[in-house]
Every structure is written in C-alpha cells, then in structure tokens.
Amino acid sequence: MIPARRLALQLLGWVVLWRAALLIVAFVAPFILPFKPSFPLTELLQDLAIPHWLSAWANFDGVYYLTLISRGYLAVGYVQAFFPIWPLILMPIWWVGSDLTWVVLVGQLVALGCFAGALLLYRHLLTHTEKITSQPFTWLVVLLLLFPTSFYFAALYSESLFLLLVLGVFICAFHKKWWWAGILAGVASGTRVVGIFLVPALVIELVSQSQLWQSRNLSLTSLLAWTRAHVGQLSAISLGVVGLLGYSIFLWWHFADPLYFFRVQSEFGGGRQESLVLFPQVVWRYLKILTTVPLDLRYLIYLQEFLAGVGGLVILLLGFRKVRLSLWFFSLMAVLLPTLTGTFSSMPRYILVAPAIFLIINAWLADHPKLRIVWLIISTLLLLCNTVLFIQGYWVA
C-alpha cells in the first residue's frame, strides 16, 4: 500500500493537473460559444477585477452564495434556498476586504482543497467496503475526475465541502468515533438538506456493527435493551440534526416558515414543485420531454438529467450488496430526495455526493476493462462539453 503522505501528494498533483486542464477549457470556451448568462445577478461577476475564465466559476448558484456572503439572508429573496455553512466558511474573506473578487478566487481554492481531501478519504472508504476493497483506487480517482459534472468540485459550490463531510462522517462511524461522526453530520445537515439523512444512515451503521439484525429475538423488550445499551452512541448521532434544525429555526424566526428553504425552490424554475411528486411520475415526464423537444444543446441536458436520475437509482439497486448498507442508504436518499420536487433537474450534479454510486461503478468497470475505456472516453467528452456550457452561462446542472 502507498504510504499516506506519498498518496496525499499524488492526489494533490492529480487534482492540480485536473484543475489546470479545466481552466484551459474555461479560457477557450468563449471561442466556442457566446456568453449567454441564463441566471440572475450577473452584475456581481461583471464587476469583479478578474478575467471571465476565472470569474465564471461562480456562475449560477455561485452568484447566490456571493449574495449571501455580501448581503446576508434578509436582503435578497430566494437565497434562503441555500444552506449557511458554505457561505459562512467564505464570509471571513469578505470581512477582510469587502471584495468579492477575493471571495471568488479563494473560494475556488477552498473548494479544490476540500475535493483533494475527499479523494484521500475515498481511499480510506474503499478499504472499508468489504466486497470491493481489491478494486484499484487509481481508477476510482480517474472516474471521479473525469465524470461529466466533476467541474462543480472546482466551482464556487458546496459540492466539495459536502462530499468531504459525508465521507468523514462514514469513516468516523466505521471506526466507532460516534461523537465525531455526529458533529460532522450536524455540519453536513447545515450545508445541504440531504445531509439530514446521515442521521438514519448512522443509526443503520450502529445497528449493523452491533449485529442487532442477527438476533433471533427482536421483541420490543430486546429493542429497548439495545437502545439503553447504546444511548451514548445514539446521543452522538442525534447531533446530526443540529445544522438543519438551526437553519429551520432561523427561517421560522425571520420568515415564519421553518421550511422556507423548500418553499422557494419552485421560484428557480426547472419544473420544481412544492407538492411532492413520485419517482415514476418524474420518469414519465422526462420520457415525454425526450420524445418532443428538438435535438439541440437543451436536449443534451435533459438526456443527462434523465440518465443521472434513472441511472443513479438503477446502479444503486443492482449494486445493493457491494457496499455497506449505511452508505447505500444515504446515497439512495441523495438520489431520491431531489426528485420529490417533480424533476431530474440538477441530478448530474446531485449524484456527485452519492459515494456508493461511484464505488459500484468502479467495481463494475474493473471487471470490464474495455467498457471502462469506452466509459471514460464518453465521460471526458461530456465533461469538456458541460464545462464550456457552464462557463458560458448555459444551464447544465
């Protein structure tokens, strides 16, 4: 096994090369497509004292994070859909000089550092995934770096931070460090709403480690006895609700609605609804879309959304036995929760934080080397295309 320090340096080198390649793509993007920003608050980026190939990494959701950092939750509408941990981490940069240029630049470095850390934790996670521990870690890194929407790990988005937190939660749980797992889960639930599902995932992991499922006597008495025996671990796990609970209290106090972050989702378009929609209904909607819309760039986006939503679920169902149940459950929730708003919009990005999907894909591709090459070629081409679209203001995910 490669020593930890050497592995960390290798991963850092790969991430730097990957980031440099993405910056080159961003530099040439204006020569491929005209800039057509399809998101509001573009003036924030136009006023920055940096070239477009650097500022564009704060496109779309990035401008909302910049708005939160510079103006707060109470000054502008709709920003309440974005959870507070990521902007809070970047806010000290704004306090130092009140210059969003530095927030964009340093924020990208922070995201990149979080992503490098997440890749290092993936190696540790792989050693705790019983049926795929022998699969090569290098190919998993390549799979992640060349995924069609991996560029979001380098943007002013919360993906890198959230993935780092998720992996940290599970690794702490695997080592039975329940208080650390609970604390990290609490930070995660204050970063993305899906982070709240780390709480039941940790309970599943605790049950699995204590072999409760193997008991032949699952009576109410035995369950109560198990709960009393693990009250300390369960108390630690309960810290996972702190982030979401704290943000909900803030929204209730200022907007009289603890679920205001959900209510404003429909204002962003993309077919999102406030009423819950079942997964088969979303599939049917997309089948109608894919058979009616013209074959243009927008069709490519719809197709990727459909494949990410349906494909992500299929991969998890088929690979159920390849990963630990707790990790599988969280990844499943990361796929299903966004679809409850009635759309697969942003699914190519949302599945980036579903670790089980990538562990399962890596295991399958390791058994089919020729398929792996085909996968990586198609994935790389889509990554290049999606990066150009994102940089030039076209909706991707």
Side-chain angles (χ1 to χ4, degrees):
M1 181 177 291
I2 300 177
R5 184 175 180 180
R6 180 182 172 189
L7 177 62
L9 290 175
Q10 285 183 356
L11 287 176
L12 183 60
W14 292 341
V15 169
V16 170
L17 289 175
W18 167 80
R19 180 59 175 140
L22 290 179
L23 287 175
I24 294 173
V25 175
F27 181 79
V28 302
F31 301 99
I32 301 174
L33 283 176
F35 183 55
K36 289 186 178 180
S38 54
F39 55 93
L41 304 172
T42 56
E43 64 277 2
L44 286 178
L45 301 182
Q46 294 170 353
D47 294 338
L48 299 179
I50 50 177
H52 175 73
W53 55 274
L54 283 175
S55 65
W57 295 96
N59 282 352
F60 295 96
D61 287 4
V63 296
Y64 288 102
Y65 284 123
L66 291 177
T67 302
L68 279 173
I69 291 167
S70 59
R71 302 178 64 181
Y73 275 103
L74 305 182
V76 184
Y78 309 145
V79 294
Q80 296 77 20
F82 300 90
F83 277 48
I85 295 299
W86 178 238
L88 282 175
I89 288 176
L90 300 182
M91 201 167 286
I93 308 170
W94 167 256
W95 292 340
V96 171
S98 298
D99 189 348
L100 288 179
T101 299
W102 284 107
V103 176
V104 172
L105 292 175
V106 178
Q108 291 179 52
L109 292 177
V110 173
L112 202 64
C114 289
F115 182 45
L119 290 177
L120 189 61
L121 292 187
Y122 253 119
R123 178 67 185 93
H124 202 69
L125 187 70
L126 196 63
T127 63
H128 286 82
T129 308
E130 295 87 350
K131 297 187 179 181
I132 55 177
T133 53
S134 61
Q135 303 305 334
F137 172 63
T138 301
W139 284 111
L140 176 61
V141 174
V142 173
L143 173 66
L144 287 161
L145 291 176
L146 299 182
F147 194 73
T149 51
S150 67
F151 63 88
Y152 282 108
F153 287 129
L156 202 73
Y157 277 58
S158 63
E159 262 65 25
S160 292
L161 172 65
F162 187 71
L163 179 62
L164 180 66
L165 290 169
V166 168
L167 297 177
V169 166
F170 283 106
I171 290 172
C172 287
F174 296 162
H175 286 284
K176 300 183 179 182
K177 299 181 183 297
W178 297 106
W179 286 102
W180 278 112
I183 292 170
L184 292 177
V187 178
S189 72
T191 305
R192 300 274 287 272
V193 64
V194 73
I196 194 62
F197 288 105
L198 288 167
V199 174
L202 286 174
V203 174
I204 292 172
E205 181 61 30
L206 178 61
V207 170
S208 299
Q209 291 185 17
S210 60
Q211 298 182 335
L212 179 64
W213 299 134
Q214 298 178 11
S215 174
R216 296 182 179 180
N217 180 24
L218 289 178
S219 63
L220 179 59
T221 302
S222 64
L223 290 174
L224 290 175
W226 179 87
T227 302
R228 287 193 296 268
H230 295 86
V231 65
Q233 294 94 324
L234 293 172
S235 298
I237 291 172
S238 68
L239 292 175
V241 307
V242 170
L244 176 59
L245 181 62
Y247 186 47
S248 295
I249 291 173
F250 170 83
L251 294 176
W252 172 76
W253 182 263
H254 291 283
F255 301 96
D257 185 356
L259 297 178
Y260 193 55
F261 64 86
F262 174 73
R263 313 285 184 207
V264 300
Q265 290 290 334
S266 59
E267 304 297 336
F268 287 89
R272 298 197 184 278
Q273 301 176 200
E274 291 187 20
S275 58
L276 298 182
V277 182
L278 298 179
F279 192 89
Q281 293 175 280
V282 185
V283 173
W284 177 247
R285 289 180 179 181
Y286 267 76
L287 288 176
K288 291 195 294 184
I289 290 173
L290 293 174
T291 55
T292 56
V293 299
L295 295 175
D296 54 14
L297 287 175
R298 190 57 196 157
Y299 187 91
L300 176 63
I301 303 304
Y302 283 130
L303 181 61
Q304 289 186 82
E305 291 174 350
F306 178 78
L307 292 176
V310 176
L313 180 60
V314 170
I315 288 169
L316 287 171
L317 293 178
L318 294 179
F320 172 73
R321 297 184 180 278
K322 288 186 175 292
V323 294
R324 293 171 80 127
L325 181 59
S326 56
L327 191 65
W328 182 88
F329 171 81
F330 174 78
S331 299
L332 180 67
M333 293 300 101
V335 171
L336 291 182
L337 181 65
T339 68
L340 296 178
T341 59
T343 178
F344 289 137
S345 180
S346 296
M347 282 305 300
R349 173 165 60 94
Y350 291 152
I351 64 174
L352 290 173
V353 297
I357 290 179
F358 293 94
L359 293 175
I360 294 169
I361 293 175
N362 187 52
W364 285 343
L365 294 181
D367 295 332
H368 304 87
K370 292 183 180 179
L371 180 59
R372 175 197 283 157
I373 300 301
V374 174
W375 174 288
L376 292 179
I377 290 174
I378 296 175
S379 183
T380 302
L381 292 175
L382 287 175
L383 173 60
L384 296 174
C385 179
N386 289 336
T387 304
V388 170
L389 291 172
F390 175 81
I391 293 296
Q392 293 306 99
Y394 296 78
W395 174 255
V396 176

